[in-house]
Amino acid sequence: MSNTAWENLVKKQLKTEDIYSVLTKENLEGITVKPFYDGVSLPMTNLPKVEENTHLVARYHESLEEDVYAFLLDHNVENLTEKTIFIDNSDLAGHISPKEEDQYFSLIDVFDEKETAINDQLVKELLAKQFRRNICIDISRHQNAGAAIYQQLGIALAKTKELIETYGSEILNKLIFRIAVGANYFFEMAKVRAFKLVFNQLSKEYEADEIPYIFAETSLRNKAVADNENNLIRSTLELAAAMIGGADAVFSNNYLVDRSTENSEEISFKQQIVLAYESIINVFEDASNGSYFVEDITRQISEKSWTYFVEIEEAGGYLELMKKEIIQKQIYQHALEEQKWVEEGRIKLIGVNLYPKLEVKKSAEELYSEKEIKAVRWAEMFE
């Protein structure tokens, strides 16, 4: 179809001649989004996963032992056999001695953000373990602190480079990346895909051809204390975006922001079960491949992420910029602008700033610090 034919079809479907005012959407990522797509200049090949099927990860509870294959573990549990285990506690990791057939992964970030250094002792202890993936790079904290998507991915690459320079390129296939998946459904799909592109590009500079192991969890950033039902819907969409984007493992944080109950933990895991067993979206290698929109924004995000990574490296690297509080300030500036969009209603949060239950109680400036990367939920200014 010609471009004009596409445009006429869209006008007919939307029942308006002014499709551009309806379909043009602003975003804070600096990504160009067209009103409609009729192709992409460079179609992508499939972007593979490390795992054949996405692991559905539940926080450990003894009642789930028979039915759940993958657990997030923060305390010692004896005789967990034939399970995939993600360890989220450094003391626990120190006491575990997996056998060769065990499937253990570390989710303990080896970067000490406050000391702006790599925890060398922790790295060496973890590398000595027979884990499937020993070293975690956590950028979920950056997403929850308000970092842009390209900042999150650029920082992940910069932290990877720091590890390679210290421990050698053989560490590449020992890495696991912990990311938080936010509210912007298609952009978050593209984020997962874009990271595969840029990580593979970085690995090729060290004569490797690696793809990243991605552990994706739901974001805390868009959740509200007084809006549990909407939190549940939001996190379900985030899980779907992660699975469609091609994450190797997914985990749903409790949708009750200020507390946790046995029932809420069960429901949080069953979100994944519904998506996997009723929608069957965890088995595809690259489900969004071929979507003109997703492919276009995937390429834009990967290019912006790589550019940001290069800027970090040329300025001295991630740890050096953290010491100078430059990374913190860059995230602060984006987070502050994003929070003001929430306050103005340009970013919509149902039940908070759209069909609201609450009024503004804290300014955006009160919530953030340009010297610290800390998690802030959008709804905090209304609570």
Side-chain angles (χ1 to χ4, degrees):
M1 292 174 69
S2 67
N3 215 36
T4 302
W6 269 112
E7 189 170 1
N8 289 335
L9 179 61
V10 175
K11 287 178 181 179
K12 182 178 179 181
Q13 289 177 337
L14 293 180
K15 298 181 174 61
T16 179
E17 290 293 314
D18 186 18
I19 62 172
Y20 293 95
S21 65
V22 175
L23 295 177
T24 301
K25 303 292 183 184
E26 291 182 291
N27 64 80
L28 284 167
E29 300 289 341
I31 300 298
T32 302
V33 177
K34 296 193 292 186
F36 62 92
Y37 293 78
D38 61 347
V40 286
S41 56
L42 295 169
M44 293 182 181
T45 57
N46 269 10
L47 299 173
K49 296 188 292 190
V50 176
E51 299 286 358
E52 184 177 354
N53 294 339
T54 302
H55 285 307
L56 310 177
V57 185
R59 193 172 296 281
Y60 177 79
H61 191 279
E62 60 183 10
S63 65
L64 298 175
E65 270 197 44
E66 288 188 14
D67 301 319
V68 176
Y69 179 73
F71 285 114
L72 179 63
L73 205 62
D74 57 10
H75 64 281
N76 192 32
V77 178
E78 299 290 342
N79 301 319
L80 269 181
T81 58
E82 298 182 356
K83 304 289 184 184
T84 296
I85 307 296
F86 294 87
I87 302 294
D88 198 18
N89 180 294
S90 56
D91 292 333
L92 175 60
H95 289 94
I96 286 179
S97 299
K99 298 175 184 176
E100 190 173 346
E101 65 271 18
D102 290 336
Q103 303 279 325
Y104 276 78
F105 296 78
S106 171
L107 290 179
I108 306 156
D109 193 0
V110 297
F111 283 80
D112 187 331
E113 302 283 358
K114 290 185 179 179
E115 297 295 326
T116 60
I118 298 170
N119 188 331
D120 182 62
Q121 182 180 348
L122 178 60
V123 171
K124 289 175 179 175
E125 287 176 359
L126 289 170
L127 287 175
K129 301 285 183 181
Q130 292 190 25
F131 284 10
R132 280 277 309 281
R133 297 276 168 158
N134 311 65
I135 306 301
C136 177
I137 292 178
D138 186 355
I139 54 168
S140 65
R141 68 181 64 192
H142 300 82
Q143 193 277 341
N144 283 309
I149 288 175
Y150 74 88
Q151 289 175 328
Q152 296 167 46
L153 302 191
I155 287 169
L157 293 177
K159 293 174 87 170
T160 301
K161 183 83 180 301
E162 297 272 4
L163 288 170
I164 292 171
E165 289 178 350
T166 306
Y167 302 101
S169 60
E170 57 270 18
I171 204 169
L172 280 166
N173 63 6
K174 301 180 187 298
L175 299 177
I176 179 171
F177 293 86
R178 186 173 189 169
I179 72 171
V181 178
N184 198 336
Y185 189 63
F186 293 106
F187 274 50
E188 294 293 336
M189 243 181 252
K191 178 172 81 176
V192 175
R193 301 179 79 246
F195 187 55
K196 295 184 181 192
L197 286 173
V198 293
F199 181 83
N200 182 253
Q201 183 175 338
L202 177 63
S203 78
K204 285 179 177 175
E205 296 200 1
Y206 295 93
E207 298 181 354
D209 190 19
E210 298 288 338
I211 53 175
Y213 193 107
I214 298 174
F215 178 97
E217 63 186 52
T218 57
S219 175
L220 300 175
R221 188 148 174 77
N222 59 341
K223 307 305 185 291
V225 169
D227 219 12
N228 299 328
E229 293 81 5
N230 285 337
N231 288 344
L232 193 58
I233 296 168
R234 292 179 187 115
S235 55
T236 302
L237 289 169
E238 290 159 7
L239 290 168
M243 290 185 189
I244 293 170
D248 295 287
V250 293
F251 174 73
S252 182
N253 284 300
N254 200 304
Y255 65 93
L256 300 179
V257 174
D258 58 344
R259 66 192 186 283
S260 175
T261 66
E262 190 169 323
N263 186 54
S264 69
E265 291 285 355
E266 182 182 354
I267 291 174
S268 293
F269 179 66
K270 283 184 175 176
Q271 291 174 279
Q272 303 172 40
I273 297 295
V274 170
L275 290 169
Y277 291 95
E278 295 187 20
S279 299
I280 322 176
I281 60 174
N282 67 318
V283 301
F284 297 101
E285 186 171 78
D286 189 5
S288 56
N289 188 6
S291 162
Y292 297 152
F293 174 43
V294 175
E295 286 203 14
D296 185 57
I297 59 177
T298 296
R299 193 170 298 282
Q300 289 186 66
I301 288 171
S302 62
E303 289 170 356
K304 285 179 67 69
S305 302
W306 187 264
T307 299
Y308 183 60
F309 161 61
V310 171
E311 289 173 359
I312 292 173
E313 290 307 301
E314 289 178 346
Y318 177 74
L319 291 175
E320 183 62 28
L321 294 191
M322 283 290 289
K323 289 174 184 174
K324 295 178 180 177
E325 298 180 349
I326 292 173
I327 297 286
Q328 296 93 315
K329 189 172 183 179
Q330 290 174 341
I331 292 174
Y332 167 81
Q333 289 169 340
H334 183 271
L336 201 63
E337 188 176 4
E338 191 176 67
Q339 189 71 49
K340 288 180 176 177
W341 274 39
V342 173
E343 185 177 5
E344 294 165 4
R346 296 166 75 183
I347 292 176
K348 295 173 175 57
L349 205 57
I350 306 299
V352 178
N353 66 359
L354 186 65
Y355 310 111
K357 299 177 181 179
L358 307 166
E359 296 177 356
V360 174
K361 294 181 180 177
K362 293 178 185 175
S363 69
E365 288 77 10
E366 288 179 272
L367 294 171
Y368 297 92
S369 168
E370 61 181 4
K371 296 184 178 182
E372 182 184 1
I373 299 174
K374 64 173 185 175
V376 177
R377 292 179 295 104
W378 288 335
E380 284 184 51
M381 73 185 320
F382 302 95
E383 294 171 348

